[in-house]
Amino acid sequence: MRKFLEKVINQENLRIEEMKEAAKSCFNEQISDSELAAFLIALRAKGETPEEIAGLAEIIRSESSQKSNRLTNVMDNCGTGGDGSYSFNISTTAAFVIAGAGVTVAKHGNRSISSKTGSADVLEHLGISLTFQKEQMEEILHENNIAFLYAPNIHQGMKRFMKVRQDLRIPTVFNLIGPLTNPVTLDTQFVGVYRRDMLPMIAETMHRLGRRRAIAINGAGYMDEASLAGENHLSLLNEGKVTNFTIHPSELDLPVYPNEKIRGGNAEENADILLRVLNGKPGPYYDTVLLNAGLGLYANGIAQTMKSGIDMARESIASGAALEKLHRLADYSKKILVG
């Protein structure tokens, strides 16, 4: 680690293989917590590169007990968190809508970070298991197009990293890398990022991780979701090329709402919001999910345009397909607990 630390301190970027070697030494506990903290601080001070982020993400994935290459054409729509918006569980709700439209979603998530209730909290309240084993996860993804991958359950080797992060109390590469560490091999991805300046870099990182197509987005008000409050900033990765652009909800025939209209609450309140949306109740929550699910379908490529993605999302809800995905996941969870 010392040679890599010195290189980073000297403002030199690490090649992807060097970053992998450095990350492996952290998992193998060949370095002290102090050295790990120094490395994370030095990376932040220098500024992380797509190769460095991708190298770290690949090692985290390889260390997961649930690394899977069996499934094809899988996507995730997990965001970084960290925007401080206290919104309801937008990406979690949108994941069921995307799955209802025919896309396989390996939904990566955790407990609360920047909202009052994280994806794991609300899904647990709805009867979804947080402890799927690899074979169970693959089975339900194959049968139902959606499964939930609870980060602490699938990344048990990350405890040491989390301790150092907590001791540092400053943002590091780990504030950005969560959505990139899904152990399922992803073909496409829609990722909300709390830092607008990092969008092109996250898109480039996803290219290095093998994504065929992906979108990194920062919403109006600097949300790590698409927002109806105004202009959204996106970086689209398509076949190796990154394109940066903005989109306003009015361009997609959607209404404008301030972000305060989509505040969430505790697990019970957010579960109620999720169910109301999947049952088609109109309003700011519903329209926000239409926007995020529609852009997710466009990121996947099943929708040729953002508008057609929103139409597909609307049909997924209206047909009951999105709600059925939730019910089947809850039934599968119950079967596991009983069996």
Side-chain angles (χ1 to χ4, degrees):
M1 173 59 77
R2 187 177 299 277
K3 60 181 178 181
F4 300 130
L5 179 57
E6 289 179 354
K7 191 171 182 178
V8 173
I9 289 173
N10 290 328
Q11 299 292 297
E12 297 178 50
N13 298 329
L14 299 181
R15 299 189 309 276
I16 191 167
E17 293 304 324
E18 290 178 314
M19 190 63 184
K20 287 182 180 181
E21 187 178 340
K24 283 181 181 177
S25 68
C26 297
F27 274 102
N28 295 335
E29 298 188 0
Q30 296 172 0
I31 65 171
S32 66
D33 286 355
S34 297
E35 287 176 301
L36 175 55
F39 184 62
L40 294 177
I41 293 171
L43 273 177
R44 184 192 177 196
K46 177 184 71 65
E48 300 89 348
T49 67
E51 283 205 339
E52 290 166 344
I53 298 173
L56 177 58
E58 286 191 7
I59 294 304
I60 293 173
R61 290 186 65 248
S62 71
E63 293 287 334
S64 171
S65 60
Q66 298 199 27
K67 188 173 187 296
S68 175
N69 299 311
R70 283 185 54 196
L71 300 151
T72 58
N73 197 25
V74 182
M75 79 170 293
D76 189 7
N77 70 330
C78 171
T80 62
D83 63 8
S85 67
Y86 300 104
S87 60
F88 77 107
N89 300 99
I90 298 170
S91 64
T92 304
T93 311
F96 290 105
V97 180
I98 293 169
V103 176
T104 302
V105 183
K107 181 68 176 76
H108 199 211
N110 209 330
R111 296 198 183 274
S112 175
I113 298 175
S114 60
S115 60
K116 292 182 180 178
T117 306
S119 56
D121 302 302
V122 71
L123 289 176
E124 187 176 47
H125 185 81
L126 290 165
I128 308 301
S129 173
L130 304 184
T131 57
F132 287 132
Q133 299 303 307
K134 179 181 176 181
E135 295 76 15
Q136 295 166 337
M137 178 267 294
E138 291 175 337
E139 179 182 359
I140 193 62
L141 272 177
H142 179 73
E143 292 181 0
N144 193 44
N145 280 5
I146 187 168
F148 181 66
L149 287 74
Y150 179 46
N153 182 51
I154 62 177
H155 297 303
Q156 295 184 13
M158 294 293 294
K159 292 178 181 178
R160 183 179 184 221
F161 290 86
M162 297 306 104
K163 177 184 180 300
V164 171
R165 285 183 65 193
Q166 290 170 356
D167 290 344
L168 284 175
R169 297 182 181 275
I170 61 171
T172 68
V173 65
F174 284 98
N175 292 75
L176 292 166
I177 206 170
L180 306 177
T181 62
N182 193 316
V184 176
T185 298
L186 302 178
D187 183 55
T188 59
Q189 192 161 7
F190 179 63
V191 54
V193 182
Y194 78 99
R195 280 183 57 182
R196 188 168 293 173
D197 62 310
M198 294 292 287
L199 292 178
M201 182 174 293
I202 294 299
E204 290 284 358
T205 302
M206 289 191 285
H207 171 52
R208 284 167 171 77
L209 289 170
R211 311 293 189 260
R212 171 182 57 81
R213 186 176 165 90
I215 287 177
I217 187 167
N218 180 266
Y222 293 90
M223 287 188 67
D224 75 320
E225 312 275 2
S227 167
L228 293 169
E231 196 170 67
N232 296 274
H233 292 247
L234 301 86
S235 290
L236 168 67
L237 167 70
N238 186 36
E239 303 295 350
K241 180 182 178 182
V242 175
T243 305
N244 304 306
F245 62 99
T246 61
I247 192 74
H248 191 278
S250 62
E251 298 175 65
L252 302 172
D253 300 323
L254 289 172
V256 175
Y257 295 104
N259 287 333
E260 289 74 20
K261 290 288 187 179
I262 56 169
R263 289 279 177 89
N266 60 29
E268 182 178 359
E269 292 167 326
N270 281 14
D272 181 63
I273 292 170
L274 184 152
L275 290 172
R276 280 187 278 145
V277 169
L278 296 189
N279 277 290
K281 183 174 181 179
Y285 298 120
Y286 173 84
D287 290 326
T288 298
V289 169
L290 283 186
L291 175 60
N292 280 272
L295 291 177
L297 291 165
Y298 177 65
N300 173 264
I302 194 173
Q304 297 300 305
T305 67
M306 288 177 278
K307 281 189 176 182
S308 65
I310 289 168
D311 290 339
M312 291 175 69
R314 189 178 283 111
E315 175 59 23
S316 175
I317 295 173
S319 67
L323 186 61
E324 178 63 18
K325 296 299 179 185
L326 171 62
H327 288 327
R328 289 190 65 184
L329 189 56
D331 288 344
Y332 189 83
S333 297
K334 188 182 300 182
K335 183 177 74 173
I336 290 172
L337 290 173
V338 172

